[in-house]
Amino acid sequence: MNKIYLDNAATTPINSEVLAEMMPYFDSVYGNPSSLHSFGREAKAAVEKARAKIAKGIGCNPSEIYFTSGATEANNWAIRGLAYAYAKRGNHIITSKIEHPSVLETCKQLEKEGFKVTYLDVDKFGFVRLDQLLHVIDKNTTLISIMSANNEIGTIQNIQAIANIAKEKGVLFHTDATQAIGAINIDVVEMGIDALSMSAHKINGPKGIGALYLKKGTVIQKFMNGGEQEKNMRAGTTNTPLVVGFGKAVELATMDIIPNAKKLSMLRNYFIKEVLTRIELTNLNGHSIQRLPNNVSISFGMVEGESLLFMLDMAGIAVSTGSACASGSLEESHVLKAIGLNPDLVQGTIRFTLSKSTTKSEIDYVIEQLEKIIKQLRKVSPITRAQVGKIKSQGEK
Ligand SMILES: *Cc1c(COP(=O)(O)O)cnc(C)c1O
């Protein structure tokens, strides 16, 4: 059976060119980039070349890129490190209710340590409410952290507008751009972003590597004590092969973003339209246009998402449920809750995330299987039609 992978928001396969570039750095070029001899210098040159590629991908200077173990670490570091570095100025942080757990949990921890955090609401599409943002900023606000694009429902925030507000109010702006890299053009200088988190494995790079971009002149508490790597801010021997792979992945992902996104969006729109018209009691989550080109989040009324996931899996199709980042747990998605989705629909939500290599015939097979499986599941569903009655109004965009 040909398997179909539609869970690219969870992780992606490594690109063969990326892997090929990494290989020599596992064995032949094994020096420690911090060493002064030729072995070290050769590794160091590769690390700096990769740093330059990543910087180019988001329009910053290489000296503003700090390698981390991924976006989780970058988010932890950015929020905690900036909150403490600017604590003399104020103790108020603003974020949203739909952030990744690595942002939300860091904020919750900071609350325990005496910081004040405002979790902004989002509208039914998942957009942060700018009027509320303006309203809650006060003289103690030091940091706004809002993700560029949501990993569950694909909503792309109006990052420029948020950055403008932050700048006008003299507040730092951090964005978790993990899902946005390669999907939309990001230029941190043009957009006025002070800090940005990213990860390699979401863009066909290796797992375990990411970066924090930090605008020059921004102070931050160091993340790890030890050696003087990453300008003495994040200690630990630099992982040369992962860094090299990350550099190549960013280079490839940020090349031809517009045509790639256009092509992928067409397949995405076809998928959405077919599902919504062929299967009744369905609802698209997120915004129909301002969404990640590869994201399709659909709620199926009178269906248990977990059952659907397992039956699709048996048909060789890999997807994730609404509780994406907490999969395994049955806790409902904080994102779907924040957009005000009917709880009976939250349960029946599936996230499909496509890739550049997803084909139309794969999508056709998925639609066919969905129709068949949902028919079966609805026959035995404990959720009634009345319970999902509001679905039509929810779906109208
Ligand atoms: C995957 C993801 C993360 C976590 O990235 P890791 O590199 O796996 O730690 C953070 N934020 C968003 C939006 C993500 O999709």
Side-chain angles (χ1 to χ4, degrees):
M1 180 170 61
N2 259 344
K3 291 220 239 173
I4 301 173
Y5 185 74
L6 295 183
D7 201 14
N8 288 281
T11 196
T12 58
I14 198 159
N15 176 290
S16 57
E17 277 181 69
V18 169
L19 183 62
E21 281 216 12
M22 289 168 66
M23 292 312 278
Y25 298 94
F26 283 107
D27 51 8
S28 6
V29 190
Y30 55 82
N32 186 326
S34 302
S35 300
L36 299 178
H37 45 63
S38 68
F39 291 78
R41 291 198 308 270
E42 197 182 350
K44 169 92 173 166
V47 166
E48 294 316 315
K49 204 173 134 195
R51 198 189 304 275
K53 284 179 181 175
I54 293 157
K56 187 165 174 242
I58 59 165
C60 72
N61 195 286
S63 65
E64 297 169 311
I65 294 290
Y66 298 82
F67 290 115
T68 64
S69 64
T72 296
E73 182 185 318
N75 283 339
N76 270 261
W77 184 18
I79 294 164
R80 164 169 289 277
L82 292 171
Y84 274 98
Y86 289 85
K88 279 208 192 90
R89 198 183 285 177
N91 69 342
H92 181 227
I93 299 163
I94 299 170
T95 186
S96 83
K97 288 185 176 165
I98 62 164
E99 300 297 312
H100 188 267
S102 54
V103 167
L104 293 175
E105 294 302 316
T106 303
C107 287
K108 274 193 213 157
Q109 177 59 34
L110 287 174
E111 281 185 285
K112 287 185 195 147
E113 296 169 24
F115 288 88
K116 287 206 170 65
V117 182
T118 302
Y119 301 88
L120 295 175
D121 295 319
V122 293
D123 65 16
K124 67 173 180 173
F125 300 119
F127 293 116
V128 161
R129 292 185 30 213
L130 300 181
D131 56 333
Q132 192 192 12
L133 171 61
L134 273 165
H135 185 74
V136 301
I137 296 178
D138 64 29
K139 61 179 200 317
N140 289 318
T141 311
T142 56
L143 174 67
I144 298 171
S145 177
I146 304 287
M147 68 201 322
S148 304
N150 185 268
N151 48 303
E152 292 190 37
I153 57 171
T155 303
I156 299 170
Q157 294 295 334
N158 202 344
I159 287 302
Q160 186 68 71
I162 298 168
N164 290 348
I165 290 172
K167 194 170 197 174
E168 200 185 294
K169 300 284 181 182
V171 175
L172 292 171
F173 176 51
H174 164 258
T175 187
D176 174 359
T178 309
Q179 295 287 341
I181 301 290
I184 56 168
N185 280 316
I186 291 183
D187 186 310
V188 291
V189 175
E190 214 170 84
M191 297 169 95
I193 297 168
D194 300 300
L196 175 148
S197 302
M198 57 202 289
S199 178
H201 77 100
K202 302 290 176 78
I203 52 167
N204 304 99
K207 293 169 184 53
I209 185 84
L212 176 64
Y213 148 77
L214 192 66
K215 186 181 173 181
K216 189 176 173 222
T218 312
V219 279
I220 193 164
Q221 271 202 341
K222 67 155 76 178
F223 184 74
M224 202 100 95
N225 298 300
E228 295 191 355
Q229 292 89 356
E230 300 305 292
K231 295 201 288 182
N232 201 17
M233 297 304 282
R234 201 279 189 185
T237 302
T238 309
N239 193 326
T240 312
L242 294 194
V243 164
V244 167
F246 184 22
K248 186 67 184 175
V250 171
E251 181 181 60
L252 294 175
T254 53
M255 210 181 256
D256 308 321
I257 289 181
I258 302 295
N260 283 334
K262 210 169 167 179
K263 218 174 117 199
L264 198 46
S265 306
M266 276 169 64
L267 187 58
R268 174 201 69 192
N269 292 346
Y270 167 75
F271 187 21
I272 293 171
K273 185 169 158 280
E274 290 299 304
V275 172
L276 296 189
T277 53
R278 281 160 65 170
I279 305 174
E280 61 162 354
L281 297 175
T282 45
N283 170 60
L284 175 70
N285 300 306
H287 193 265
S288 57
I289 299 158
Q290 208 167 319
R291 73 182 302 128
L292 289 171
N294 75 335
N295 176 291
V296 177
S297 168
I298 292 182
S299 300
F300 298 91
M302 295 175 68
V303 166
E304 286 258 312
E306 305 267 314
S307 315
L308 181 50
L309 181 147
F310 289 119
M311 290 184 73
L312 286 169
D313 191 36
M314 283 195 282
I317 302 161
V319 299
S320 90
T321 57
S323 50
C325 269
S327 49
S329 87
L330 283 173
E331 207 177 305
E332 74 176 29
S333 152
H334 64 288
V335 177
L336 299 174
K337 204 167 147 190
I339 61 170
L341 193 67
N342 169 345
D344 288 310
L345 288 178
V346 169
Q347 280 187 59
T349 302
I350 294 287
R351 178 188 71 183
F352 308 85
T353 40
L354 287 55
S355 80
K356 274 185 269 187
S357 48
T358 306
T359 64
K360 180 166 178 295
S361 66
E362 285 179 328
I363 292 300
D364 283 329
Y365 172 75
V366 174
I367 296 165
E368 197 182 286
Q369 290 300 311
L370 274 172
E371 274 191 298
K372 201 174 85 185
I373 295 167
I374 285 165
K375 207 171 274 172
Q376 287 171 15
L377 288 176
R378 282 184 178 161
K379 270 191 202 145
V380 295
S381 173
I383 309 165
T384 67
R385 197 168 276 270
Q387 278 171 295
V388 294
K390 278 189 293 193
I391 196 160
K392 276 302 164 213
S393 59
Q394 194 104 36
E396 257 139 47
K397 307 269 135 107

